[in-house]
Amino acid sequence: MLSRRRVRGIVKDKDAHIAILAVNPDNAQETAERLASAGVRAIVNFTHVRLKLPEKVLVENLDIGLTLQKVAFYLDLMEGDK
C-alpha cells in the first residue's frame, strides 16, 4: 500500500479530485481515508465495503456483481425476443 505521503504527492501532481477504488476489501477503508486526506473529493467505490468518510467526500458505491447480473438478465430477455 502506498504511504500517505506518496498518495498526497500523486493527488497533488495529477490535480486529482476523483478516485476509483478497486482494492482488496481489507485495504478499502484505509486507502479511501488516505485519498480523502490527500484532497480527493469523490470516490467511485468498486469494493463491497461501505466506506466511512467525512460528508465532504462523495462516495458512489458500485456493485459490479449486481451490474453483471442485470446485464445477463436483460441479455436473456433480448435473446428470448428473437
Side-chain angles (χ1 to χ4, degrees):
M1 181 182 307
L2 296 175
S3 70
R4 287 188 185 273
R5 171 186 257 171
R6 182 76 175 118
V7 171
R8 265 193 302 267
I10 293 169
V11 169
K12 183 179 179 184
D13 289 348
K14 302 296 181 187
D15 193 27
H17 301 281
I18 302 170
I20 296 172
L21 188 65
V23 298
N24 182 308
D26 293 339
N27 298 324
Q29 183 65 44
E30 185 175 356
T31 303
E33 289 171 1
R34 288 179 184 199
L35 290 164
S37 70
V40 167
R41 293 297 166 242
I43 296 175
V44 179
N45 179 19
F46 278 91
T47 76
H48 67 269
V49 176
R50 293 302 172 232
L51 304 171
K52 296 175 183 150
L53 296 171
E55 287 185 20
K56 65 182 181 179
V57 179
L58 172 68
V59 177
E60 181 67 27
N61 297 300
L62 295 179
D63 185 334
I64 193 71
L66 180 59
T67 300
L68 289 169
Q69 285 177 340
K70 282 182 184 175
V71 170
F73 174 79
Y74 287 111
L75 183 62
D76 283 346
L77 283 179
M78 290 187 313
E79 288 179 356
D81 289 341
K82 289 182 181 180

XYZ file of all heavy atoms in Angstrom:
643
model
N 0.848 -1.171 0.000
C 0.000 0.000 0.000
C 0.899 1.241 0.000
O 1.929 1.266 0.656
C -0.903 -0.014 1.235
C -1.836 1.169 1.271
S -2.904 1.277 2.714
C -3.675 -0.304 2.719
N 0.471 2.237 -0.751
C 1.237 3.481 -0.818
C 1.136 4.257 0.490
O 0.079 4.281 1.119
C 0.714 4.361 -1.951
C 0.853 3.821 -3.369
C 0.180 4.769 -4.350
C 2.295 3.620 -3.736
N 2.217 4.905 0.853
C 2.214 5.720 2.064
C 1.326 6.948 1.872
O 1.029 7.347 0.739
C 3.645 6.181 2.386
O 4.065 7.126 1.413
N 0.919 7.544 2.980
C 0.106 8.772 2.910
C 0.839 9.852 2.127
O 0.236 10.569 1.333
C -0.224 9.274 4.309
C -1.249 8.428 5.020
C -1.694 9.069 6.339
N -2.584 8.181 7.040
C -3.898 8.134 6.851
N -4.456 8.942 5.985
N -4.649 7.301 7.526
N 2.138 9.952 2.344
C 2.945 10.973 1.650
C 2.925 10.746 0.142
O 2.765 11.673 -0.639
C 4.369 10.946 2.187
C 5.309 11.825 1.380
C 6.718 11.670 1.841
N 7.025 12.842 2.643
C 8.099 12.991 3.349
N 8.987 12.017 3.429
N 8.322 14.092 4.019
N 3.070 9.494 -0.271
C 3.075 9.163 -1.705
C 1.702 9.440 -2.332
O 1.618 9.988 -3.425
C 3.466 7.696 -1.885
C 3.546 7.270 -3.322
C 4.818 7.798 -3.982
N 4.887 7.264 -5.328
C 4.870 8.013 -6.426
N 4.836 9.322 -6.331
N 4.927 7.459 -7.602
N 0.637 9.069 -1.622
C -0.721 9.333 -2.127
C -0.924 10.832 -2.281
O -1.425 11.303 -3.309
C -1.793 8.716 -1.207
C -3.191 9.167 -1.606
C -1.706 7.189 -1.231
N -0.526 11.603 -1.288
C -0.646 13.074 -1.358
C 0.100 13.616 -2.570
O -0.391 14.484 -3.284
C -0.121 13.726 -0.085
C -1.185 14.022 0.933
C -0.671 14.945 2.017
N 0.496 14.403 2.700
C 0.453 13.676 3.812
N -0.688 13.397 4.376
N 1.542 13.231 4.366
N 1.299 13.098 -2.798
C 2.104 13.553 -3.933
C 1.436 13.258 -5.264
O 1.404 14.111 -6.160
N 0.888 12.067 -5.405
C 0.218 11.689 -6.658
C -1.021 12.550 -6.872
O -1.249 13.067 -7.967
C -0.146 10.191 -6.645
C 1.128 9.339 -6.677
C -1.066 9.848 -7.809
C 0.900 7.865 -6.397
N -1.837 12.700 -5.826
C -3.063 13.505 -5.938
C -2.713 14.940 -6.315
O -3.345 15.532 -7.195
C -3.886 13.434 -4.632
C -5.008 14.471 -4.621
C -4.444 12.030 -4.435
N -1.683 15.479 -5.699
C -1.274 16.857 -6.000
C -0.720 16.968 -7.421
O -1.115 17.861 -8.175
C -0.235 17.328 -4.994
C 0.178 18.756 -5.191
C 1.190 19.200 -4.161
C 1.599 20.637 -4.424
N 2.639 21.085 -3.513
N 0.185 16.070 -7.784
C 0.799 16.121 -9.120
C -0.227 15.996 -10.243
O -0.100 16.637 -11.280
C 1.842 15.009 -9.285
C 3.098 15.241 -8.468
O 3.282 16.372 -7.945
O 3.892 14.294 -8.323
N -1.217 15.154 -10.040
C -2.225 14.903 -11.073
C -3.436 15.830 -10.942
O -4.338 15.766 -11.776
C -2.706 13.451 -11.011
C -1.608 12.431 -11.172
C -0.977 12.520 -12.547
C 0.108 11.465 -12.709
N 0.837 11.613 -13.945
N -3.443 16.641 -9.890
C -4.585 17.517 -9.591
C -5.871 16.681 -9.586
O -6.877 17.044 -10.191
C -4.666 18.666 -10.597
C -5.620 19.762 -10.147
O -5.818 19.928 -8.921
O -6.187 20.445 -11.021
N -5.799 15.541 -8.909
C -6.909 14.588 -8.881
C -7.966 15.004 -7.868
O -7.650 15.369 -6.738
C -6.390 13.196 -8.534
N -9.213 14.941 -8.296
C -10.341 15.236 -7.411
C -11.259 14.033 -7.279
O -12.079 13.974 -6.378
C -11.143 16.425 -7.950
C -10.306 17.655 -8.088
N -9.976 18.447 -7.022
C -9.701 18.210 -9.160
C -9.223 19.447 -7.432
N -9.025 19.323 -8.733
N -11.110 13.080 -8.214
C -11.924 11.877 -8.241
C -10.989 10.665 -8.260
O -9.981 10.675 -8.956
C -12.819 11.830 -9.500
C -13.727 13.055 -9.550
C -13.641 10.538 -9.544
C -14.462 13.214 -10.871
N -11.364 9.629 -7.499
C -10.577 8.398 -7.488
C -11.497 7.204 -7.675
O -12.662 7.232 -7.266
C -9.820 8.254 -6.172
N -10.971 6.175 -8.299
C -11.667 4.898 -8.416
C -11.006 3.949 -7.428
O -9.795 3.744 -7.474
C -11.577 4.342 -9.846
C -12.307 5.280 -10.804
C -12.127 2.923 -9.909
C -12.128 4.938 -12.256
N -11.809 3.392 -6.537
C -11.291 2.499 -5.511
C -11.629 1.060 -5.876
O -12.795 0.654 -5.855
C -11.897 2.857 -4.146
C -11.317 2.133 -2.948
C -9.851 2.512 -2.750
C -12.112 2.450 -1.697
N -10.611 0.308 -6.256
C -10.763 -1.101 -6.615
C -9.596 -1.853 -5.989
O -8.627 -2.198 -6.654
C -10.789 -1.272 -8.127
N -9.692 -2.033 -4.690
C -8.616 -2.653 -3.921
C -9.174 -3.828 -3.118
O -10.388 -4.026 -3.034
C -7.947 -1.640 -2.958
C -7.302 -0.507 -3.721
C -8.938 -1.106 -1.939
N -8.286 -4.571 -2.500
C -8.681 -5.632 -1.591
C -9.570 -5.029 -0.505
O -9.233 -3.979 0.051
C -7.416 -6.240 -0.991
C -7.689 -7.391 -0.071
O -8.489 -7.299 0.844
N -6.991 -8.484 -0.314
N -10.698 -5.652 -0.187
C -11.590 -5.093 0.836
C -10.899 -4.801 2.166
O -11.276 -3.860 2.866
C -12.666 -6.174 1.000
C -12.676 -6.889 -0.295
C -11.247 -6.868 -0.789
N -9.881 -5.582 2.502
C -9.158 -5.351 3.758
C -8.454 -3.998 3.769
O -8.155 -3.465 4.836
C -8.122 -6.453 4.004
C -8.762 -7.805 4.256
O -9.955 -7.855 4.639
O -8.079 -8.825 4.053
N -8.162 -3.451 2.594
C -7.450 -2.173 2.495
C -8.343 -1.006 2.088
O -7.874 0.121 1.974
C -6.311 -2.291 1.471
C -5.283 -3.317 1.870
O -4.983 -3.470 3.040
N -4.764 -4.038 0.900
N -9.618 -1.268 1.846
C -10.503 -0.250 1.279
C -10.652 0.988 2.166
O -10.490 2.116 1.692
C -11.874 -0.853 0.980
N -10.986 0.810 3.422
C -11.223 1.954 4.299
C -9.966 2.809 4.445
O -10.018 4.029 4.288
C -11.720 1.498 5.680
C -12.047 2.632 6.627
C -13.208 3.482 6.169
O -14.232 2.977 5.724
N -13.066 4.796 6.268
N -8.845 2.173 4.719
C -7.601 2.930 4.898
C -7.189 3.643 3.612
O -6.758 4.801 3.646
C -6.471 2.009 5.372
C -5.200 2.773 5.697
C -4.103 1.894 6.284
O -4.336 0.697 6.518
O -3.012 2.440 6.499
N -7.329 2.980 2.492
C -6.985 3.605 1.211
C -7.889 4.799 0.945
O -7.422 5.863 0.529
C -7.082 2.585 0.065
O -6.219 1.479 0.349
C -6.699 3.207 -1.256
N -9.176 4.640 1.183
C -10.125 5.746 0.988
C -9.791 6.920 1.904
O -9.852 8.080 1.485
C -11.548 5.265 1.237
N -9.432 6.640 3.138
C -9.045 7.705 4.077
C -7.808 8.443 3.583
O -7.728 9.673 3.676
C -8.806 7.124 5.465
C -10.080 6.672 6.149
C -9.843 5.891 7.430
O -8.661 5.688 7.825
O -10.839 5.448 8.032
N -6.852 7.709 3.048
C -5.638 8.336 2.513
C -5.971 9.228 1.317
O -5.447 10.328 1.190
C -4.609 7.286 2.117
C -3.982 6.618 3.308
C -2.977 5.568 2.930
N -2.496 4.926 4.145
C -1.386 4.238 4.229
N -0.629 4.075 3.168
N -1.020 3.685 5.359
N -6.843 8.737 0.448
C -7.250 9.538 -0.703
C -7.966 10.806 -0.252
O -7.681 11.899 -0.752
C -8.150 8.715 -1.629
C -7.465 7.581 -2.390
C -8.497 6.620 -2.959
C -6.567 8.149 -3.482
N -8.889 10.669 0.682
C -9.652 11.820 1.171
C -8.737 12.836 1.849
O -8.852 14.047 1.611
C -10.746 11.365 2.130
N -7.821 12.365 2.656
C -6.924 13.296 3.353
C -5.948 13.969 2.388
O -5.417 15.039 2.676
C -6.166 12.597 4.482
O -5.222 11.689 3.982
N -5.749 13.350 1.212
C -4.865 13.928 0.200
C -5.572 14.960 -0.667
O -4.939 15.633 -1.467
C -4.280 12.820 -0.675
N -6.907 15.048 -0.529
C -7.632 16.057 -1.283
C -8.648 15.532 -2.283
O -9.335 16.317 -2.935
N -8.752 14.215 -2.413
C -9.770 13.645 -3.301
C -11.135 13.947 -2.696
O -11.344 13.780 -1.498
C -9.551 12.128 -3.479
C -10.745 11.464 -4.130
C -8.290 11.882 -4.282
N -12.074 14.393 -3.524
C -13.397 14.790 -3.026
C -14.519 13.876 -3.488
O -15.657 14.028 -3.054
C -13.705 16.234 -3.438
C -12.805 17.238 -2.771
C -13.022 17.213 -1.252
N -11.972 17.917 -0.556
C -11.156 17.339 0.320
N -11.256 16.063 0.599
N -10.221 18.031 0.922
N -14.217 12.917 -4.371
C -15.214 11.950 -4.813
C -14.523 10.619 -5.091
O -13.460 10.595 -5.709
C -15.936 12.440 -6.064
N -15.153 9.550 -4.616
C -14.589 8.215 -4.789
C -15.660 7.306 -5.375
O -16.774 7.228 -4.856
C -14.088 7.633 -3.447
C -12.934 8.487 -2.912
C -13.681 6.175 -3.607
C -12.448 8.080 -1.530
N -15.304 6.630 -6.471
C -16.149 5.587 -7.027
C -15.634 4.283 -6.426
O -14.502 3.876 -6.679
C -16.083 5.552 -8.572
C -16.960 4.429 -9.115
C -16.498 6.897 -9.155
N -16.464 3.675 -5.594
C -16.064 2.523 -4.798
C -16.543 1.225 -5.424
O -17.730 0.939 -5.452
C -16.650 2.678 -3.386
C -16.305 1.524 -2.481
O -15.366 0.770 -2.726
N -17.082 1.374 -1.418
N -15.614 0.414 -5.928
C -15.940 -0.877 -6.506
C -15.824 -2.009 -5.497
O -16.028 -3.163 -5.844
C -15.031 -1.175 -7.708
C -15.479 -0.530 -8.976
C -15.019 0.728 -9.330
C -16.364 -1.170 -9.823
C -15.428 1.337 -10.500
C -16.783 -0.581 -11.000
C -16.314 0.681 -11.332
N -15.492 -1.712 -4.256
C -15.425 -2.757 -3.230
C -16.797 -2.900 -2.590
O -17.649 -2.032 -2.718
C -14.385 -2.426 -2.137
O -14.897 -1.418 -1.257
C -13.055 -1.992 -2.736
N -16.992 -3.995 -1.849
C -18.263 -4.169 -1.149
C -18.260 -3.483 0.218
O -19.262 -3.493 0.920
C -18.609 -5.662 -1.009
C -17.678 -6.396 -0.098
N -16.544 -7.016 -0.566
C -17.708 -6.593 1.233
C -15.916 -7.571 0.456
N -16.593 -7.337 1.559
N -17.152 -2.861 0.575
C -17.018 -2.186 1.864
C -17.761 -0.850 1.822
O -17.587 -0.069 0.884
C -15.526 -1.948 2.202
C -15.373 -1.162 3.488
C -14.789 -3.273 2.273
N -18.590 -0.591 2.803
C -19.277 0.703 2.914
C -18.348 1.639 3.674
O -18.112 1.461 4.867
C -20.628 0.566 3.611
C -21.621 -0.222 2.789
C -21.842 0.437 1.429
N -22.637 -0.378 0.532
C -22.280 -0.687 -0.689
N -21.127 -0.294 -1.186
N -23.058 -1.401 -1.467
N -17.827 2.596 2.963
C -16.798 3.484 3.496
C -17.390 4.517 4.449
O -18.486 5.024 4.223
C -16.082 4.188 2.346
C -15.456 3.260 1.309
C -14.980 4.055 0.109
C -14.319 2.461 1.928
N -16.628 4.835 5.467
C -16.994 5.877 6.410
C -16.004 7.014 6.241
O -14.857 6.931 6.689
C -16.972 5.336 7.836
C -18.006 4.263 8.064
C -17.897 3.641 9.433
C -18.924 2.539 9.543
N -18.518 1.481 10.429
N -16.457 8.070 5.564
C -15.613 9.217 5.265
C -16.354 10.491 5.625
O -17.578 10.481 5.795
C -15.239 9.226 3.780
C -14.390 8.052 3.304
C -14.283 8.050 1.787
C -13.011 8.090 3.929
N -15.643 11.612 5.717
C -16.314 12.885 6.001
C -17.382 13.186 4.950
O -17.269 12.773 3.797
C -15.174 13.907 5.935
C -13.921 13.126 6.149
C -14.198 11.757 5.587
N -18.409 13.916 5.357
C -19.511 14.251 4.447
C -19.050 15.007 3.208
O -19.706 14.951 2.178
C -20.574 15.069 5.186
C -21.381 14.239 6.149
C -22.503 15.033 6.780
O -22.904 16.074 6.220
O -22.975 14.609 7.836
N -17.930 15.703 3.310
C -17.447 16.481 2.160
C -16.896 15.599 1.037
O -16.605 16.088 -0.044
C -16.389 17.490 2.602
C -15.109 16.849 3.126
C -14.109 17.875 3.588
C -12.848 17.196 4.086
N -11.852 18.145 4.515
N -16.758 14.289 1.294
C -16.273 13.356 0.287
C -17.455 12.536 -0.225
O -18.095 11.809 0.536
C -15.181 12.417 0.847
C -14.701 11.440 -0.227
C -14.020 13.211 1.420
N -17.746 12.674 -1.512
C -18.824 11.909 -2.136
C -18.326 10.506 -2.429
O -17.253 10.332 -3.019
C -19.249 12.585 -3.439
C -20.237 11.796 -4.298
C -21.584 11.703 -3.609
C -20.369 12.427 -5.655
N -19.097 9.511 -2.013
C -18.767 8.114 -2.302
C -19.909 7.519 -3.108
O -21.065 7.549 -2.681
C -18.549 7.295 -1.011
C -18.283 5.827 -1.357
C -17.409 7.867 -0.190
N -19.582 7.016 -4.282
C -20.558 6.324 -5.127
C -20.184 4.853 -5.116
O -19.119 4.463 -5.610
C -20.519 6.884 -6.550
C -21.507 6.261 -7.481
C -22.957 6.569 -7.134
O -23.226 7.625 -6.515
O -23.814 5.757 -7.482
N -21.043 4.040 -4.508
C -20.785 2.607 -4.403
C -21.349 1.886 -5.620
O -22.525 2.059 -5.956
C -21.440 2.050 -3.134
C -20.856 2.657 -1.895
O -19.663 2.543 -1.638
N -21.680 3.330 -1.113
N -20.515 1.106 -6.275
C -20.942 0.322 -7.425
C -20.720 -1.155 -7.130
O -19.620 -1.550 -6.773
C -20.164 0.713 -8.676
C -20.388 2.126 -9.186
C -19.535 2.390 -10.411
C -21.848 2.354 -9.516
N -21.754 -1.928 -7.295
C -21.655 -3.374 -7.096
C -21.524 -4.022 -8.465
O -22.516 -4.191 -9.175
C -22.896 -3.871 -6.362
C -22.813 -5.344 -6.000
O -22.080 -6.096 -6.688
O -23.488 -5.743 -5.037
N -20.317 -4.370 -8.841
C -20.062 -4.912 -10.167
C -20.779 -6.247 -10.357
O -21.255 -6.555 -11.449
C -18.537 -5.029 -10.457
C -18.279 -5.292 -11.938
C -17.902 -6.093 -9.605
C -18.549 -4.129 -12.816
N -20.910 -7.024 -9.296
C -21.621 -8.300 -9.386
C -23.083 -8.095 -9.745
O -23.632 -8.786 -10.613
N -23.726 -7.139 -9.091
C -25.122 -6.830 -9.382
C -25.275 -6.317 -10.819
O -26.209 -6.688 -11.530
C -25.658 -5.797 -8.388
C -27.109 -5.378 -8.556
C -28.039 -6.568 -8.448
C -27.459 -4.320 -7.521
N -24.351 -5.487 -11.238
C -24.385 -4.961 -12.598
C -24.275 -6.087 -13.622
O -25.009 -6.114 -14.609
C -23.264 -3.929 -12.803
O -23.451 -2.867 -11.866
C -23.266 -3.370 -14.217
N -23.394 -7.027 -13.397
C -23.249 -8.165 -14.305
C -24.514 -9.026 -14.327
O -24.926 -9.512 -15.389
C -22.031 -9.004 -13.925
C -20.680 -8.352 -14.218
C -19.558 -9.152 -13.565
C -20.452 -8.209 -15.699
N -25.149 -9.190 -13.179
C -26.403 -9.949 -13.129
C -27.488 -9.253 -13.944
O -28.237 -9.907 -14.675
C -26.881 -10.111 -11.687
C -26.099 -11.114 -10.893
C -26.574 -11.188 -9.454
O -27.212 -10.277 -8.936
N -26.265 -12.288 -8.796
N -27.576 -7.929 -13.822
C -28.567 -7.172 -14.584
C -28.337 -7.328 -16.086
O -29.265 -7.565 -16.851
C -28.491 -5.680 -14.243
C -29.128 -5.286 -12.976
C -28.966 -3.775 -12.912
C -29.428 -3.101 -11.734
N -29.139 -1.679 -11.691
N -27.092 -7.195 -16.508
C -26.760 -7.304 -17.923
C -27.115 -8.699 -18.432
O -27.711 -8.849 -19.506
C -25.271 -6.979 -18.162
C -24.848 -7.325 -19.570
C -25.005 -5.515 -17.863
N -26.777 -9.726 -17.678
C -27.084 -11.097 -18.087
C -28.599 -11.306 -18.170
O -29.099 -11.941 -19.102
C -26.464 -12.088 -17.110
N -29.343 -10.762 -17.224
C -30.800 -10.880 -17.220
C -31.400 -10.233 -18.465
O -32.213 -10.839 -19.164
C -31.360 -10.222 -15.953
C -32.865 -10.166 -15.918
C -33.599 -11.290 -15.585
C -33.524 -8.989 -16.216
C -34.991 -11.239 -15.548
C -34.910 -8.932 -16.188
C -35.652 -10.062 -15.854
N -30.990 -9.012 -18.753
C -31.527 -8.319 -19.922
C -31.086 -8.962 -21.228
O -31.843 -8.999 -22.189
C -31.189 -6.826 -19.880
C -32.012 -6.102 -18.850
C -31.416 -5.595 -17.707
C -33.387 -5.975 -18.998
C -32.184 -4.951 -16.740
C -34.155 -5.340 -18.041
C -33.549 -4.839 -16.906
O -34.318 -4.229 -15.947
N -29.895 -9.506 -21.248
C -29.436 -10.226 -22.434
C -30.321 -11.445 -22.688
O -30.721 -11.702 -23.817
C -27.975 -10.631 -22.270
C -27.329 -11.330 -23.447
C -27.319 -10.427 -24.674
C -25.918 -11.740 -23.097
N -30.632 -12.169 -21.621
C -31.534 -13.325 -21.751
C -32.896 -12.887 -22.274
O -33.487 -13.550 -23.120
C -31.709 -14.031 -20.411
C -30.514 -14.888 -20.042
O -29.670 -15.155 -20.919
O -30.433 -15.296 -18.864
N -33.407 -11.763 -21.769
C -34.708 -11.253 -22.242
C -34.657 -10.900 -23.729
O -35.562 -11.239 -24.474
C -35.113 -10.014 -21.456
C -35.664 -10.216 -20.056
C -35.992 -8.865 -19.424
C -36.896 -11.088 -20.073
N -33.598 -10.228 -24.133
C -33.474 -9.822 -25.537
C -33.347 -11.038 -26.446
O -33.906 -11.054 -27.531
C -32.292 -8.883 -25.722
C -32.511 -7.517 -25.097
S -31.238 -6.277 -25.437
C -29.719 -7.124 -25.154
N -32.610 -12.034 -26.016
C -32.453 -13.234 -26.831
C -33.758 -14.003 -26.917
O -34.027 -14.666 -27.920
C -31.334 -14.115 -26.274
C -29.963 -13.517 -26.514
C -28.841 -14.359 -25.939
O -29.103 -15.382 -25.281
O -27.685 -13.968 -26.174
N -34.605 -13.898 -25.907
C -35.907 -14.548 -25.921
C -36.861 -13.910 -26.913
O -37.806 -14.545 -27.386
N -36.609 -12.648 -27.287
C -37.448 -11.938 -28.245
C -37.140 -12.315 -29.685
O -37.853 -11.908 -30.591
C -37.286 -10.411 -28.081
C -37.918 -9.912 -26.795
O -38.763 -10.623 -26.226
O -37.546 -8.800 -26.367
N -36.083 -13.044 -29.922
C -35.681 -13.384 -31.295
C -36.562 -14.452 -31.873
O -37.079 -15.301 -31.299
C -34.221 -13.831 -31.323
C -33.275 -12.669 -31.089
C -31.860 -13.165 -31.188
C -30.891 -12.027 -30.945
N -29.529 -12.449 -31.021
